[in-house]
Amino acid sequence: MIIDARCRPMYDEFLKQVENPTGVTARMGMDIPPSVRARSETLMLKEMEDAGISMGIAPGRNGHFRYNVSNNCVVDMVRHFKGKFIGIAGINPSNREQAIRDIDTYVVNGPLKGVNIEPGSMSTPWYANDRRIYPIYEKCSEHKIPVMLMIGGRAGPDTTYSDPKIITNIARDFPDVNFYVSHGGWPWAQVLLGACFWQTNIFLGPDMYLLTGVGTADYVAAAKGFMQDRFLFGSAYPLMPFKPCVDKFMELFGDSDVLDKILYKNAARLFNIDLTSSAD
């Protein structure tokens, strides 16, 4: 079984992501997936099946400078795919009162499994440890809601928005919240992993940045060691194709005795996914 812990499907508002290609697929030495070229849900599901991916975790996006995916759309998407995708609520930290209401509506009293915050990608970028966001983290702490933070890659106008001290501050101040760092803190891999060594409420998924070769050996060593219970597989589809990402992951981890943990068990535990009733 494989859970893809960071992907967005070919569905409704999620299609906005493929309208403005970034060129990152080619820079990773990959081809744009046929399902993305065709904007085809049917092809996407076939590509997932061919890659052995049983389930995807899809975050909404709210407050982004370029495009957003509403939480209503995320809820509809979860229902539409009938267990093939888990939804994460997109939260706009610049509208704190609405953010708190959205957490209540879509997570505490709704079907979504966590919140996704991308403060460095707002029209006016914030760092994720900006004190104006702290009431949102407090809300998540109160209800034991996992928080997905984009800290790594193009998380803001420059690489300071991925500085590991950001997650170090937040994880220290909210020890009861499990923070999932998507994009793996790249390119600050070693320093970010150092923070993870000491702060055990930080979960990590380098997703497509595992393919760069920069920091790859460090991610792999940590995942096979002290991060084995907090490291997650992710593809970053539609930017990356499913099967080549899985193939590379298996090349790196296929002989590891922690493979099941990092392929699906850690994601299921982090996002409270009932594997007994999930898609095969």
Side-chain angles (χ1 to χ4, degrees):
M1 182 177 190
I2 301 174
I3 296 177
D4 187 335
R6 196 179 194 278
C7 59
R8 292 184 168 98
M10 292 291 102
Y11 180 79
D12 197 16
E13 295 176 23
F14 286 96
L15 292 170
K16 297 174 185 176
Q17 178 157 318
V18 303
E19 292 173 358
N20 297 293
T22 63
V24 69
T25 312
R27 288 200 295 276
M28 295 291 186
M30 298 285 184
D31 294 325
I32 295 172
S35 60
V36 175
R37 293 187 183 277
R39 300 164 67 90
S40 169
E41 172 188 318
T42 301
L43 280 177
M44 177 199 71
L45 292 172
K46 179 65 166 57
E47 290 167 4
M48 290 178 72
E49 181 181 0
D50 290 346
I53 294 173
S54 307
M55 179 184 295
I57 297 176
R61 180 173 258 174
N62 200 334
H64 195 272
F65 76 96
R66 189 170 63 183
Y67 81 92
N68 291 280
V69 176
S70 70
N71 290 321
N72 283 334
C73 176
V74 179
V75 171
D76 290 343
M77 177 275 300
V78 171
R79 291 171 178 161
H80 174 77
F81 286 108
K82 300 177 181 178
K84 196 71 176 178
F85 283 90
I86 296 297
I88 305 297
I91 300 300
N92 181 359
S94 69
N95 189 342
R96 193 166 62 198
E97 292 183 0
Q98 184 62 53
I100 297 297
R101 287 195 294 269
D102 285 347
I103 293 171
D104 277 328
T105 300
Y106 296 102
V107 186
V108 177
N109 301 307
L112 304 186
K113 295 288 190 176
V115 304
N116 176 55
I117 307 175
E118 302 182 13
S121 295
M122 298 190 302
S123 296
T124 300
W126 293 3
Y127 292 98
N129 59 349
D130 191 303
R131 290 283 172 165
R132 290 173 290 184
I133 309 176
Y134 270 40
I136 297 172
Y137 298 141
E138 289 168 3
K139 178 74 173 179
C140 293
S141 180
E142 176 186 352
H143 294 280
K144 301 294 188 292
I145 297 169
V147 175
M148 180 185 290
L149 290 172
M150 190 171 76
I151 299 179
R154 201 172 186 179
D158 57 59
T159 56
T160 64
Y161 288 81
S162 298
D163 192 318
K165 71 180 180 183
I166 294 171
I167 189 61
T168 298
N169 294 157
I170 304 168
R172 175 201 63 207
D173 292 341
F174 297 95
D176 293 329
V177 177
N178 285 325
F179 293 95
Y180 174 43
V181 178
S182 63
H183 292 342
W186 192 88
W188 305 78
Q190 282 192 340
V191 184
L192 192 284
L193 287 166
C196 292
F197 182 84
W198 296 108
Q199 294 174 278
T200 57
N201 57 330
I202 304 175
F203 287 65
L204 194 63
D207 46 78
M208 66 184 184
Y209 293 100
L210 194 66
L211 307 176
T212 65
V214 178
T216 298
D218 299 304
Y219 287 130
V220 171
K224 290 182 177 180
F226 70 89
M227 285 297 290
Q228 64 182 268
D229 294 312
R230 293 180 284 136
F231 197 93
L232 281 65
F233 166 78
S235 69
Y237 176 95
L239 295 177
M240 296 292 120
F242 290 117
K243 192 171 189 308
C245 288
V246 171
D247 288 347
K248 180 62 177 179
F249 204 83
M250 295 303 293
E251 177 186 326
L252 295 170
F253 294 101
D255 62 348
S256 172
D257 58 4
V258 300
L259 185 62
D260 286 350
K261 290 183 179 182
I262 57 182
L263 281 181
Y264 70 93
K265 288 182 178 178
N266 293 342
R269 178 166 48 87
L270 175 61
F271 292 107
N272 193 27
I273 300 169
D274 181 4
L275 295 178
T276 63
S277 60
S278 64
D280 293 332

